[in-house]
Amino acid sequence: MINTSVKTLLSSTDYDSKVEVKGWVRSKRGSKEVAFIAINDGSTIHNMQAVVTIASFPEEVLKTINTGACIGVKGKLVKSQGAGQMVEIVAEEIEVYGAFDEAYPLQKKGHTLEFLREIAHLRPRTNTFGAVFRVRHAMTYAIHKYFNDRGFYNIHTPIITGSDAEGAGQMFRVTTLDMKNPPMNPEGGIDYKEDFFGKETNLTVSGQLEGELAAMALSKIYTFGPTFRAENSNTPRHAAEFWMIEPEMAFHDINDNMDVAEDMLKYLVRYALEHCKDDLEFLNSMYDKELLKKLDIVVNNTFKRMSYTDAIEVLKSSGKKFEFLPDWGVDLQKEHENFLVEHFGKPVILTGYPKDIKAFYMKLNDDGKTVRAMDVLFPYVGEIIGGSQREEDHDKLLKRMREMHIPEKEMWWYLDTRKFGTAPHSGFGLGLERLILFVTGMSNIRDVIAFPRTPKNAEF
């Protein structure tokens, strides 16, 4: 007999058929005559109930079936006699795969999210994290589907890199050198020519620069991979290891870039609403009573587009006392981003940022002070997408690199694309975890990654 998922069985109307289900026991209750065992296999937030006649099974077997045990049940699928489910299984055979004597850490009671992070190897078995990780899977699939259906090509860019795409320097070093006795150069520094790659290398913070190279041949590409940032930050929005989606598009200006970003975000949220209904309703009831409303706002509204300069004026004239005073030339804080989204009642896309607070590769506007950058701001999470039209002019790009002390000798290949067949192009980065925070209503990035990596934490 072929094992059938709980999700499939719960929607079946093939009554009186012989079925088999395997999973983990969520609860066991009953009387001296009958036991009701709730089984979950991770395919859905809902459980399959197995009805067990006590006299039909050995006592020593039934004693091992407690919360957390792994079992298989064969029996007859029937209409449920109780509330809460349409069907249930009348058990005829039970096989216990995994039982235990010690106390199970996930008892049928409320656990704090902080406690569950300490047992991240078990937390996927909870309703909360089963829901979060199913939503994360759905969003991962939907991202690939969105780009594939629109003629984009997925490019696998390097995880180990010799360049710093953001110019921030907060990178994890990759080396095979003996750090207790490293080779030294004549200047007294570590001689990375003796290292594995013959140069200093790090874990990437972005696949963008390499993605641009591919876009100059394939026109529309996207990267989807892990990125790393050695930022000693313990906020609910930051992790040292996270996943980025980065499309790069030839022949797209900043307006085209905004169009793609808005269309993609609406597609993804709509996909979640259509395919993750049960999980989202659970998360809405447990963690964010406004979750479904926020998702609907994204889908049903045209995003507000405005310049950074205009946004500063809105903030200044709001009369609100911000912790950080808004002023032209200063990057926006989360409190500013949240205010703008709440003020307009919809997502906001800001453009025309001061060049001094943005990366070297962004195209300068004619005013010489601002660049064709864009940030998409969402309720609660703030910036969910950052992007720009890239500078395609070789001489202008080289000038900006020198102004920002970007080592041009190491970036010769990036400059080459501006020498040979350059083209206008744009792109952006979407942090997957920021997206999952928004779609699930969770409040901490550590709760949307199976095994988070944060300062002083690399467990599991």
Side-chain angles (χ1 to χ4, degrees), residues 153-398:
Y153 298 100
N154 183 216
I155 298 296
H156 296 157
T157 52
I159 291 175
I160 300 173
T161 179
S163 62
D164 181 356
E166 300 298 326
Q170 297 168 325
M171 304 179 76
F172 290 101
R173 182 168 295 146
V174 176
T175 181
T176 59
L177 296 177
D178 180 1
M179 289 293 99
K180 292 182 179 179
N181 187 30
M184 308 299 287
N185 58 34
E187 291 75 31
I190 295 176
D191 187 1
Y192 285 102
K193 291 181 180 179
E194 299 297 318
D195 208 347
F196 185 90
F197 293 106
K199 62 185 297 186
E200 189 171 356
T201 55
N202 305 282
L203 295 179
T204 186
V205 299
S206 170
Q208 176 202 317
L209 302 187
E210 292 86 353
E212 286 186 53
L213 313 184
M216 290 297 98
L218 301 174
S219 290
K220 295 192 297 185
I221 68 93
Y222 72 103
T223 75
F224 194 158
T227 51
F228 309 85
R229 187 160 298 174
E231 184 177 3
N232 190 18
S233 176
N234 257 315
T235 76
R237 303 172 71 203
H238 293 91
E241 177 182 290
F242 51 100
W243 287 69
M244 288 289 293
I245 302 94
E246 298 175 290
E248 291 293 329
M249 301 160 286
F251 319 116
H252 281 57
D253 63 18
I254 186 63
N255 293 307
D256 301 322
N257 205 26
M258 290 189 284
D259 290 344
V260 173
E262 180 171 348
D263 185 63
M264 182 192 71
L265 288 169
K266 287 184 174 180
Y267 175 93
L268 295 177
V269 174
R270 189 180 300 112
Y271 189 96
L273 287 167
E274 292 175 357
H275 295 85
C276 306
K277 182 174 180 290
D278 290 345
D279 289 324
L280 292 180
E281 287 179 348
F282 168 79
L283 293 166
N284 186 88
S285 67
M286 292 295 293
Y287 293 99
D288 184 352
K289 306 297 184 185
E290 299 291 310
L291 175 59
L292 295 176
K293 179 181 177 182
K294 291 176 184 175
L295 299 181
D296 285 335
I297 287 173
V298 170
V299 170
N300 296 318
N301 284 279
T302 299
F303 295 4
K304 172 69 177 180
R305 300 184 184 187
M306 65 188 308
S307 71
Y308 164 91
T309 300
D310 288 344
I312 291 295
E313 290 306 312
V314 169
L315 293 168
K316 282 185 172 182
S317 61
S318 67
K320 182 177 176 62
K321 292 184 178 180
F322 295 103
E323 181 181 355
F324 298 93
L325 293 177
D327 196 16
W328 202 96
V330 177
D331 212 353
L332 297 183
Q333 300 296 317
K334 187 182 177 184
E335 61 174 337
H336 305 141
E337 297 169 345
N338 285 344
F339 176 86
L340 291 170
V341 173
E342 292 171 7
H343 178 75
F344 291 105
K346 62 177 74 175
V348 176
I349 306 181
L350 298 184
T351 57
Y353 280 82
K355 68 176 184 178
D356 293 336
I357 61 173
K358 289 296 182 180
F360 72 93
Y361 49 72
M362 296 186 178
K363 186 173 181 64
L364 275 170
N365 284 316
D366 293 339
D367 61 14
K369 299 188 300 181
T370 61
V371 291
R372 296 183 192 177
M374 69 165 197
D375 284 348
V376 182
L377 312 181
F378 260 26
Y380 172 70
V381 297
E383 180 195 333
I384 196 168
I385 277 179
S388 71
Q389 184 172 341
R390 316 311 191 189
E391 180 56 74
E392 81 275 11
D393 184 280
H394 176 275
D395 293 342
K396 291 180 180 178
L397 178 61
L398 181 59

Side-chain angles (χ1 to χ4, degrees), residues 2-16:
I2 299 175
N3 174 56
T4 308
S5 73
V6 170
K7 183 177 182 180
T8 300
L9 286 176
L10 287 174
S11 62
S12 176
T13 56
D14 191 11
Y15 305 123
D16 297 326

Side-chain angles (χ1 to χ4, degrees), residues 114-125:
E114 289 79 7
F115 168 73
L116 292 175
R117 288 175 208 144
E118 297 174 4
I119 54 169
H121 58 305
L122 296 176
R123 70 177 181 168
R125 301 187 195 183

Side-chain angles (χ1 to χ4, degrees), residues 128-148:
T128 293
F129 288 95
V132 168
F133 297 144
R134 281 188 295 270
V135 171
R136 183 175 174 126
H137 160 78
M139 291 296 89
T140 298
Y141 172 78
I143 288 163
H144 284 296
K145 180 172 173 56
Y146 176 86
F147 286 119
N148 179 74

Side-chain angles (χ1 to χ4, degrees), residues 377-446:
L377 312 181
F378 260 26
Y380 172 70
V381 297
E383 180 195 333
I384 196 168
I385 277 179
S388 71
Q389 184 172 341
R390 316 311 191 189
E391 180 56 74
E392 81 275 11
D393 184 280
H394 176 275
D395 293 342
K396 291 180 180 178
L397 178 61
L398 181 59
K399 181 182 177 181
R400 284 293 290 152
M401 290 173 66
R402 288 173 175 171
E403 287 175 355
M404 300 183 73
H405 307 291
I406 305 296
E408 56 193 87
K409 287 185 178 179
E410 295 180 14
M411 299 291 288
W412 63 270
W413 45 271
Y414 189 68
L415 286 163
D416 258 12
T417 59
R418 274 66 174 178
K419 289 169 60 178
F420 305 119
T422 191
H425 61 289
S426 297
F428 60 81
L430 166 66
L432 178 63
E433 285 73 26
R434 292 276 177 94
L435 174 67
I436 306 305
L437 279 172
F438 177 73
V439 173
T440 62
M442 302 302 284
S443 59
N444 196 310
I445 195 171
R446 295 166 179 82

